[in-house]
Amino acid sequence: MSKPEVIRAPKGLENVIVDRTGLSGVDPKGEHTIYRGFMIEDLGENASFEEAAYLFLYGKLPTRSELYYFSERLANLREIPDGLYEAFKQLPDTAHPMHIAQMGIAYMGTFDGKAMDLSEELLYRRAEGIIAKMPTIFANGYRISRGQEPVRPDPTLSHAVDALRMIIGRRPREEEARLFEVTLVLYMDHGFNASTFTTRVIASTLSDMYAAVAGGIGALKGPLHGAANERAMEMLLDVGLGDIDGARMYLEKKLASKERIMGFGHRVYKVRDPRVSVAKKYLSRYAEENEEARKLYEMCDYIEKLMWERKKLPANIDFYTGPIYHLLGIPIIMYTPVFAMSRTVGWVSHYIEQVTNNRLIRPKAEYVGPMGLKYTPIDERG
Ligand code: CMC
C-alpha cells in the first residue's frame, strides 16, 4: 500500500478546513455568522438563551411545548452537589474562575458513573446538565473563593436571569437581563475556534464530555481567544471613560510600539464581525437611558473608527461585550467565564457531532531537533 501524501498545513492552521460541521459557520466571503442556518443578526435580535441552546443541540427552533420542557429541565439541573460548594471553600481568594470551573466540571464528571457511555440518550442528558450547571459553578466558585456567601440557583428564573443574578448577587432588571442574554446568544458558537477545536480533539479520542469541556475552558482562558474582553475593558478603564482625546493618544502610542489592541482583529472576519452589529445595537438602546452607557458607547465607536482608519482592523465581539458586562456590574475577572458559560452550548454540541461521526484527530509534526546523539553516563558529561 502506498503511503498517503503528507500535506503541510500553515502554522496556526489558518485557512485550513479540517472537517465539516452542521452547527455554525461563516459564509465563504467571511461576512456572516450562521447558526444552524440562521443569521446571527436574526437570532441575536429575537432568540432567548434557551431557544438558541435548543437549536444547537437538537437542530431546530423549539415549539412552545418543547421550549417549556427544555427550559424546565435546564432550570432543575442548575443546582450542583453540596460537596462542590464545600470544595470551593478550600480555594485561595486569588483562584482564577476559569481554573475553578475546570475543577468544577471535572468534579461533576466524577459523579457521572456512566461518563464514558456515549449512547445518544445519555449524551443529550449530559449535555443539558453541563449547560445548566455552568453558571452555578462559575458564579459560586468565584463568590465562595472570595469569602462571599453563595447565591444558590433559583429554578423559577430563566437561564440568563439566574446566571446574572448569581454573578452580581441581585435580581437584574428586565433590560439588564436581556442585554446579558444577547451576549450569551452571540458567544454560543463559532465554527472551529480554538476552544471548540480543543474540545473536538479531546472528543475524537472518545474521552468523556466533562474532560472535553474542561479542555475548552483551558483554551478559552487565553488573551488571544476568550480573555480579550477582559483586556479590552481594562484598556477602556485605563484611558478613562469618555476621554476621547485620551483614547486617541493611548492608541497611537500602543500602535507605534506595535502592541496589539485587544478586541480588534479576527482570524476569519477581516472587514466586520457581524456579532458586533448586534451587540452595538443593544448597547446603543441601553445607552438611551444610561449616561455611563452613552459615554462608553461613544468612546468604543470612536476607537472602532480610528482602528479601521489606522490599521484596517475591525472590532470583534469582545470589544463590545467588555463594556456591556462593566455596565451590568460584572467583575472583570468574570467576563471570560460568562463567555465560557455560553460557549459551553457550542462545546457540547460539537462534542456530540464529533463522537457520532468520529475519526481520531492526530496530525503530524515535522521533527527539526538534533539527530544521532548517544547516551553518555552521567559522570562522563562535561
Ligand atoms: N492590534 C494591533 N495589530 C493587530 C491586531 C490587534 N488587535 N490584530 C492583528 N494585528 C496585526 C498584526 O500585528 C499583524 O501585523 P503585521 O502583518 O504588520 O505583523 C497583522 O495584523 C496580522 O496579524 P495576525 O496575528 O497574523 O492575524 P491573525 O489572523 O492570526 O490574528 C487575532 C487574529 C485575533 C489573534 C489577532 O487579531 C489578535 O491578537 N487580536 C487581539 C486579541 C483579540 O481581540 N482576540 C479576540 C478574538 S475574537 C473572539 C474569539 O472568537 O475568540
Side-chain angles (χ1 to χ4, degrees), residues 224-225 228 260-267 270 313 316 318:
L224 296 189
H225 190 8
R260 281 186 186 228
I261 310 300
M262 293 293 139
F264 283 88
H266 200 276
R267 192 45 86 71
K270 297 301 176 194
L313 283 171
N316 61 54
D318 288 331

Side-chain angles (χ1 to χ4, degrees), residues 213-336:
V213 170
I217 296 171
L220 191 70
K221 185 170 182 284
L224 296 189
H225 190 8
N229 55 13
E230 300 182 7
R231 300 294 92 79
M233 190 61 219
E234 280 162 0
M235 172 181 81
L236 295 171
L237 291 172
D238 254 16
V239 172
L241 297 188
D243 183 357
I244 300 276
D245 281 342
R248 188 175 42 74
M249 286 187 310
Y250 184 97
L251 279 186
E252 295 295 357
K253 205 168 139 201
K254 292 258 174 199
L255 292 177
S257 58
K258 299 227 170 295
E259 277 181 64
R260 281 186 186 228
I261 310 300
M262 293 293 139
F264 283 88
H266 200 276
R267 192 45 86 71
V268 179
Y269 304 120
K270 297 301 176 194
V271 179
R272 107 190 157 105
D273 177 341
R275 300 168 298 178
V276 164
S277 328
V278 184
K280 271 186 91 167
K281 200 194 284 181
Y282 269 86
L283 182 57
S284 77
R285 277 183 209 153
Y286 193 74
E288 283 165 17
E289 285 160 31
N290 184 308
E291 182 57 15
E292 194 186 10
R294 189 187 59 75
K295 280 190 188 157
L296 259 173
Y297 180 88
E298 283 171 5
M299 189 173 174
C300 291
D301 189 54
Y302 174 79
I303 295 176
E304 192 185 337
K305 289 184 178 129
L306 190 66
M307 279 297 283
W308 184 253
E309 203 180 289
R310 294 279 287 100
K311 295 286 291 182
K312 291 284 170 286
L313 283 171
N316 61 54
I317 177 70
D318 288 331
F319 189 60
Y320 280 94
T321 50
I324 289 175
Y325 297 153
H326 171 81
L327 291 164
L328 295 174
I330 299 174
I332 289 187
I333 200 170
M334 289 296 284
Y335 293 6
T336 314

